[in-house]
Amino acid sequence: MTTTAPRIRLQSIHIENFRGIDQLDLPFPEPVMADDPDILVLGSANGGGKTSVLEACALAVSGLLLGDKWASVFEHLLKRNTSLLDYLLRSGADSAKVTTYITINQTNVERSVELFRSGGMKVLEPEQHESVRRLRRMMMRQWDQLSDERWLALWLGSDPDPLLVAPLLFFHGYRKVSEGNPELSMLADQAFHVRNKRRRYGSAPGWPMDGAGLFKFEALRCLMGKSGLFETGPEDSERVLDVLNRLMATYAGGRLEKLRPADDGSMELRVTPIDRKRPSYTFDALSSGQKEIISTLFLIWLHTNEQPGIVLLDEPELHFNVEWHTAFLRSLHELCPQNQYIIATHSRTIFGSVPPRYRVLLEPSLPGSVEPSV
């Protein structure tokens, strides 16, 4: 699809003393052909720095897109959680630095973030560009739907849901579609937030994700929006639900068509088999692999089909069988070809499924340091 939304792309990142990385310079090569996927696959042994690279990317891009608001929020979080610096700074280092070079609508932007063990932070952004200001206005609307603590939990992976603040999406390795059912009250709470601009997602712990998770909340919105009974669903609920059910048909042999009230007042998502020879069953009866591949692909499409962005994926293969490793990458490109994908993996199949130009093996070069090996 074509879009007038600003296009954002990571060109390279420089990391010093961040998490387990001593020093690393990593370029993100652009596709050679117009229809090639924009992807970089990172491999390494355990502890090799893959997740640290993704977290550094998420930290730097968040800072660029949120500007002064992000800097004040992050300093506030550092003061409230002093152990955070021990997590972010390499052991024995007095400071950590992440510098990114990003292109926004063909405008090159440089931004550096430096964290100090003493608790301070320095942000360097040599120039202000209109394309950056435009993205920041869009990001602020989404940031207002997250509490600061929830953003931190999503970034560090201590929350089972992914970080979805388009044009930045981060699917951490600890993500999981939670068991349980969404509640209709979630839709009412969201409608109240939209009308009154008072309630923030996360003002209650984990809202609206308690129990059900973000994917089920979005599926509930689509089903209710298509029914015409709620005005809080997507404006194009039928199209969104069609994409979801194409994924359901491919990976689960069924469709999400109905809801069933549960005893606790929640709404159970029901899967109707394509052949309709068997009765419907609960979405939670699907395997963990089916739930993860469907939810990940759907959420990426939902949040980037109109605003292409940077999608960070940490070990997407955790719940997949080997046959789905390459199928997942193929589906990513077919659904959302305009995104930039940066993937950390232990899967030889995923690592080997992209040309050598688009894969990097992180290896220690000296004791305590990491360097890329193409």
Side-chain angles (χ1 to χ4, degrees), residues 108-143:
N108 295 321
V109 179
E110 176 186 351
R111 184 180 175 92
S112 293
V113 177
E114 194 165 4
L115 304 174
F116 300 93
R117 193 168 295 278
S118 60
M121 181 174 67
K122 181 169 67 175
V123 178
L124 176 63
E125 186 177 319
E127 295 183 68
Q128 288 276 349
H129 300 281
E130 175 55 34
S131 56
V132 176
R133 288 192 288 268
R134 181 182 174 189
L135 271 174
R136 282 177 179 168
R137 288 192 293 268
M138 180 190 69
M139 288 286 289
M140 290 306 297
R141 291 194 294 269
Q142 299 183 70
W143 183 274

Side-chain angles (χ1 to χ4, degrees), residues 59-313:
L59 175 69
V61 175
S62 295
L64 172 72
L65 298 177
L66 291 166
D68 294 339
K69 165 73 173 178
W70 174 87
S72 62
V73 163
F74 202 76
E75 286 190 330
H76 173 70
L77 290 173
L78 290 176
K79 290 177 181 177
R80 291 188 57 182
N81 185 356
T82 55
S83 63
L84 183 58
L85 283 169
D86 290 330
Y87 176 84
L88 298 178
L89 268 64
R90 183 172 174 78
S91 177
D94 294 326
S95 65
K97 185 177 183 180
V98 176
T99 301
T100 48
Y101 297 89
I102 298 175
T103 299
I104 303 176
N105 282 357
Q106 300 183 335
T107 298
N108 295 321
V109 179
E110 176 186 351
R111 184 180 175 92
S112 293
V113 177
E114 194 165 4
L115 304 174
F116 300 93
R117 193 168 295 278
S118 60
M121 181 174 67
K122 181 169 67 175
V123 178
L124 176 63
E125 186 177 319
E127 295 183 68
Q128 288 276 349
H129 300 281
E130 175 55 34
S131 56
V132 176
R133 288 192 288 268
R134 181 182 174 189
L135 271 174
R136 282 177 179 168
R137 288 192 293 268
M138 180 190 69
M139 288 286 289
M140 290 306 297
R141 291 194 294 269
Q142 299 183 70
W143 183 274
D144 284 343
Q145 297 176 354
L146 283 173
S147 69
D148 303 336
E149 289 77 9
R150 181 161 171 78
W151 174 84
L152 182 66
L154 293 170
W155 169 46
L156 297 179
S158 59
D159 188 294
D161 278 318
L163 173 63
L164 303 174
V165 192
L168 172 65
L169 279 65
F170 186 10
F171 290 78
H172 214 284
Y174 303 125
R175 69 193 179 280
K176 186 179 187 298
V177 177
S178 304
E179 300 291 330
N181 302 319
E183 299 179 5
L184 288 178
S185 61
M186 293 178 178
L187 299 181
D189 282 342
Q190 186 199 47
F192 177 84
H193 166 76
V194 171
R195 286 195 307 269
N196 297 279
K197 306 296 183 184
R198 293 173 187 166
R199 182 161 189 173
R200 306 171 70 193
Y201 292 6
S203 57
W207 191 95
M209 320 314 168
D210 290 342
L214 178 59
F215 168 76
K216 292 180 180 178
F217 172 71
E218 295 290 3
L220 175 64
R221 289 183 67 222
C222 289
L223 286 167
M224 297 306 295
K226 184 181 180 183
S227 73
L229 297 177
F230 276 71
E231 294 182 350
T232 59
E235 293 182 0
D236 54 351
S237 294
E238 189 165 349
R239 171 172 166 259
V240 175
L241 193 59
D242 179 65
V243 171
L244 173 55
N245 276 326
R246 277 192 277 132
L247 293 171
M248 288 290 303
T250 300
Y251 294 105
R255 296 172 58 86
L256 284 178
E257 294 182 337
K258 298 182 183 299
L259 299 169
R260 175 181 291 180
D263 293 339
D264 60 1
S266 62
M267 303 301 294
E268 185 179 74
L269 300 174
R270 304 291 295 181
V271 180
T272 302
I274 295 294
D275 58 17
R276 299 187 182 275
K277 294 181 179 179
R278 294 173 293 138
S280 68
Y281 55 91
T282 177
F283 179 82
D284 281 342
L286 297 177
S287 71
S288 60
Q290 289 173 312
K291 287 185 284 190
E292 291 305 320
I293 199 167
I294 291 167
S295 63
T296 300
L297 290 170
F298 174 68
L299 289 174
I300 291 173
W301 177 85
L302 184 66
H303 288 270
T304 64
N305 75 98
E306 294 181 356
Q307 169 60 66
I310 299 168
V311 181
L312 310 173
L313 291 153

